[in-house]
């Protein structure tokens, strides 16, 4: 069964550094999403992407964040200058039909 | 601002018992989702409810949606230990595009043998 994959599974970085989180959505899906979950808290929407552009973004997704689909398979989330409060689990999701979303295993980001 | 509230947030129950988790949301939406999350793991889609009155069942879990009341329920029948997990409901606002989901805080369910 096709799955969303994410790399790395765990990323440790120092405050102020740039990080890129990578996702490979399910191959025939057209809609892509990033969410984050701070430890023990609820899942929060960051951004959605369709037709090579951002479709919707939340208040969390400020100028420090960007997304890109550099080729036909990868979908990336970049955080330009990480802060301690960016430490969280970041989930990528994809959808074929803009409603049923399939989540990847997540990348745990630790900012020290 | 769309708000999604679940209750209870924590539930400890014994095997064999029945219980219901409630999910209320604050704005009009016809799409309601239930996800399961095991500790340290990703989100597993359980149910997608797309219309008023929708009812779906999978094993010991049954979900329903009342869009007029802005309420969804997740009913657990004769609980077993394997159902221990955190359950999230989520809602999206139909905007015609790739809508992000707004999640509830989750219900942490522990089923004791």
């Amino acid at each position: 069964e096709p799955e969303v994959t994410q790399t790395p599974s765990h990323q440790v970085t120092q405050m102020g550094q740039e990080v890129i989180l990578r996702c490979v959505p399910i191959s025939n899906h057209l809609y892509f999403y990033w969410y984050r979950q701070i430890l023990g808290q609820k899942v929060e929407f960051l951004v959605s992407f369709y037709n090579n552009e951002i479709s919707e973004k939340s208040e969390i997704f400020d100028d420090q964040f960007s997304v890109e689909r550099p080729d036909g398979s990868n979908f990336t989330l970049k955080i330009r200058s990480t802060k301690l409060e960016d430490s969280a689990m970041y989930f990528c999701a994809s959808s074929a039909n803009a409603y049923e979303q399939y989540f990847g295993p997540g990348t745990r980001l630790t900012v020290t | 601002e769309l708000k999604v509230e679940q209750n209870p947030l924590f539930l400890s129950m014994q095997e064999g018992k029945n219980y219901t988790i409630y999910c209320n949301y604050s704005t009009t939406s016809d799409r309601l989702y239930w996800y399961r999350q095991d500790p340290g793991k990703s989100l597993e889609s359980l149910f997608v409810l797309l219309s008023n009155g929708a009812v779906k069942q999978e094993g010991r879990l049954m979900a329903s949606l009342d869009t007029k009341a802005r309420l969804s329920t997740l009913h657990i029948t004769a609980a077993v230990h394997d159902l221990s997990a955190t359950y999230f409901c989520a809602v999206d606002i139909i905007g015609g595009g790739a809508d992000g989901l707004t999640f509830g805080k989750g219900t942490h369910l522990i089923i004791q043998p």
Side-chain angles (χ1 to χ4, degrees), chain B residues 53-98:
Chain B
V55 177
K56 289 195 175 180
Q57 183 163 3
E58 181 74 33
R60 299 174 188 275
L61 301 178
M62 183 173 71
S64 65
L65 177 61
D66 181 344
T67 58
K68 292 185 172 59
R70 298 178 186 171
L71 170 68
S72 179
T73 60
L74 180 67
H75 186 74
I76 303 156
T77 301
V80 293
H81 179 66
D82 287 350
L83 291 178
S84 297
T86 299
Y87 293 86
F88 290 95
C89 66
V91 178
D92 64 9
I93 300 174
I94 302 172

Side-chain angles (χ1 to χ4, degrees), chain A residues 70-97:
Chain A
D71 54 41
S73 59
N74 290 284
F75 179 50
T76 62
L77 174 70
K78 182 192 291 186
I79 309 174
R80 274 182 254 287
S81 178
T82 50
K83 303 187 280 285
L84 293 176
E85 54 264 39
D86 292 328
S87 294
M89 183 74 91
Y90 288 81
F91 292 107
C92 172
S94 71
S95 174
N97 49 27

